[in-house]
Amino acid sequence: MKTVRVSASRDYDVVIDCGILERSGEYIKEFCKNSFAAIITDDKVDSLYSATLERSLETEGIRTVKYVFPNGERSKNAENYIKILEFLASNHITRSDLVIALGGGVVGDITGFAAGSYLRGVDFVQIPTTLLAMVDSSVGGKTAIDLEAGKNLAGMFYQPRLVLCDTDLLDSLDEKVFSDGCAEVIKYAALGSKEMFMHISDTKTGFDREKVIAECVQMKARIVAEDEFDNSTRQLLNFGHTVGHAAELCSGYEVTHGSAVAIGMATVSAACARAGICDKATADSLKKICRAFSLPTELCFPMEEICSAILSDKKIKGSKITAVLCKGVGECFLKSFTLDEFRSFIAL
Ligand code: GLY
């Protein structure tokens, strides 16, 4: 078992262990003074894990209600967000109760936003069920829904009370969903750990899950402690995301988040190599590791479409965009571009 403490506007633990879902009630009861919790999940996760969670909560005397929505990014929308709020209200969830997000990034993001805005904020716990959510989206308090115009355009910073990562849950992920999470692991390795890069290159999908998840979360915790509200260093966590979010939007979310991040990291590091910012071997090693995890690396949309999608990215400030560039594995930095400059930078 590993525990990482996150220090932000609210401090909390991220506990990483196998089999923790079965014991989740023991951890959660401390944050559920009224012994009443609303579980928010999706239909895929519901059939696999809700019963275990409900049983564990019941053992601790916690009553539950549950809201289930269809799995997938298309559920992360305003209509579903309002439905969750109405569900909380109609079940008389109060500020002394608890909201639990059981699921991947979509569940965590929309539930966090609902918890943060319902009654101007009720406590919530994240139980991520995908690798992507364990290493990245469940930690750090970014919550959001997508708007027609783009991804994550409405949301807030709202930290959970606790994050419980059960590494056993990764066994039920299909290969594609697991690979998607590996893109975020590769991102963390590229940002700050040559050692992790070597470990995952050597072991591929057989990497030490508990160790790698804890290292990613530690890295994120350090960055969030320094810049919770994403004004400076936290933007490093967007490596591959500017191009990635644009690819997701252009595809109508057919391209999944992890695949999009892999495309983004490969595109930007290739551009860095062309511009002499990193050597070609660095760009090639990033592409190679993405491919080793069955992730795509080619930008499959015309540059004009990508650039117009980037325009609706929330990371645009005025006419400037801050991109994450790569000098070498473990060495990334931020650089501000106009959209035209960025277009020329990434264009082949
Ligand atoms: N997923 C990037 C961040 O939390 O800042």
Side-chain angles (χ1 to χ4, degrees):
M1 181 172 96
K2 290 197 162 52
T3 302
V4 179
R5 186 79 177 159
V6 180
S7 297
S9 46
R10 171 185 281 165
D11 294 2
Y12 54 96
D13 286 335
V14 180
V15 189
I16 305 145
D17 199 7
C18 54
I20 203 169
L21 185 65
E22 283 175 19
R23 311 189 305 276
S24 51
E26 294 168 31
Y27 290 88
I28 290 172
K29 68 175 176 211
E30 176 186 347
F31 304 102
C32 196
K33 299 196 173 55
N34 235 7
S35 297
F36 186 36
I39 299 167
I40 314 295
T41 189
D42 69 38
D43 52 359
K44 203 164 160 187
V45 175
D46 183 43
S47 58
L48 292 169
Y49 300 122
S50 284
T52 309
L53 172 63
E54 283 161 340
R55 221 174 13 249
S56 181
L57 293 169
E58 201 181 311
T59 305
E60 300 301 327
I62 299 170
R63 238 172 6 104
T64 56
V65 287
K66 185 175 66 182
Y67 176 87
V68 184
F69 60 79
N71 174 269
E73 185 73 30
R74 289 198 183 93
S75 288
K76 210 173 102 175
N77 58 32
E79 189 190 341
N80 195 28
Y81 162 71
I82 297 292
K83 280 188 184 162
I84 295 172
L85 296 181
E86 293 290 359
F87 172 81
L88 298 176
S90 63
N91 283 285
H92 311 290
I93 294 292
T94 69
R95 278 188 179 160
S96 310
D97 302 315
L98 187 73
V99 174
I100 302 172
L102 175 69
V106 168
V107 172
D109 282 6
I110 194 168
T111 304
F113 187 30
S117 50
Y118 175 69
L119 303 182
R120 300 200 179 93
V122 292
D123 288 347
F124 91 111
V125 167
Q126 290 265 23
I127 306 184
T129 59
T130 63
L131 180 62
L132 190 148
M134 290 184 196
V135 296
D136 192 64
S137 61
S138 67
V139 179
K142 276 191 182 174
T143 75
I145 55 169
D146 303 331
L147 301 183
E148 300 270 316
K151 197 174 155 73
N152 293 339
L153 290 187
M156 66 198 295
F157 292 94
Y158 191 67
Q159 302 292 343
R161 284 276 171 195
L162 173 73
V163 183
L164 296 177
C165 300
D166 186 338
T167 50
D168 284 348
L169 308 194
L170 300 175
D171 292 336
S172 68
L173 295 182
D174 59 42
E175 264 174 50
K176 172 84 187 83
V177 179
F178 189 78
S179 291
D180 241 46
C182 292
E184 292 284 356
V185 173
I186 294 167
K187 176 191 85 176
Y188 279 101
L191 283 178
S193 176
K194 271 190 192 147
E195 201 191 331
M196 199 201 299
F197 199 88
M198 297 301 291
H199 174 62
I200 57 174
S201 298
D202 290 347
T203 54
K204 307 284 179 315
T205 50
F207 60 77
D208 181 334
R209 292 172 176 184
E210 195 173 298
K211 180 169 179 280
V212 164
I213 293 168
E215 277 179 22
C216 293
V217 172
Q218 253 149 12
M219 226 184 277
K220 184 156 190 179
R222 272 197 299 275
I223 289 179
V224 169
E226 203 176 296
D227 176 30
E228 179 178 358
F229 298 109
D230 211 11
N231 294 311
S232 55
T233 42
R234 187 164 181 170
Q235 292 172 26
L236 285 168
L237 299 178
N238 291 329
F239 183 38
H241 282 57
T242 300
V243 172
H245 281 168
E248 277 180 86
L249 184 62
C250 290
S251 74
Y253 299 107
E254 286 298 319
V255 175
T256 55
H257 183 66
S259 293
V261 168
I263 293 169
M265 290 190 294
T267 305
V268 167
S269 55
C272 289
R274 283 195 302 274
I277 295 167
C278 69
D279 53 25
K280 191 169 174 303
T282 298
D284 288 349
S285 67
L286 260 162
K287 202 172 204 177
K288 192 168 156 213
I289 197 167
C290 288
R291 289 196 174 152
F293 283 93
S294 312
L295 290 159
T297 52
E298 302 305 325
L299 194 53
C300 38
F301 299 95
M303 197 51 73
E304 280 321 303
E305 272 182 46
I306 289 291
C307 287
S308 91
I310 286 175
L311 267 180
S312 70
D313 196 297
K314 67 182 181 319
K315 293 183 287 301
I316 285 258
K317 288 197 177 115
S319 58
K320 294 270 195 168
I321 184 127
T322 303
V324 185
L325 306 187
C326 179
K327 259 195 266 187
V329 171
E331 288 174 86
C332 291
F333 65 101
L334 299 172
K335 182 169 163 46
S336 176
F337 289 92
T338 63
L339 190 61
D340 278 346
E341 286 166 349
F342 191 64
R343 177 190 291 134
S344 317
F345 180 71
I346 58 171
L348 285 173

